[in-house]
Amino acid sequence: MELVNKALEFENRKMRFPTTSDRILAAREAKDLILSLNEIYKKEKDEKIMDMMKRLTSIKQRIERRLKGKPLTAS
């Protein structure tokens, strides 16, 4: 469950990325975590893992919105 701990650490990390490269790295890390958690979810069907993937996806989408230059309030 090291992967779950990594995901929780990423989720609780302060989401302040001063440079574009920091944002790109954070989005890639979130994507890797989501895909890895998805593999675990396929085997175990645990709802907690699904909820974690949803939270990470929303964080990743916020980072990507910021990368594209859209305001954070846009959907």
Side-chain angles (χ1 to χ4, degrees):
M1 290 289 120
E2 180 182 329
L3 186 62
V4 173
N5 291 335
K6 273 187 182 179
L8 287 173
E9 186 269 327
F10 180 82
E11 192 176 342
N12 294 326
R13 190 182 307 163
K14 204 173 208 179
M15 291 295 144
R16 184 176 172 280
F17 305 108
T19 65
T20 302
S21 61
D22 289 343
R23 288 184 203 105
I24 292 170
L25 291 174
R28 286 180 184 165
E29 182 181 355
K31 181 179 178 179
D32 289 340
L33 287 170
I34 292 165
L35 292 175
S36 299
L37 285 171
N38 190 34
E39 292 301 317
I40 294 172
Y41 178 77
K42 286 179 185 178
K43 294 174 188 166
E44 297 181 13
K45 304 289 186 202
D46 185 5
E47 287 301 314
K48 291 179 183 178
I49 295 174
M50 177 56 80
D51 291 338
M52 189 179 304
M53 289 189 325
K54 288 178 183 177
R55 291 191 306 265
L56 288 174
T57 300
S58 69
I59 291 170
K60 182 174 89 68
Q61 287 173 342
R62 274 187 274 156
I63 294 168
E64 288 174 344
R65 255 186 242 132
R66 182 68 175 96
L67 277 171
K68 293 177 183 175
K70 295 181 184 177
L72 292 176
T73 56
S75 294

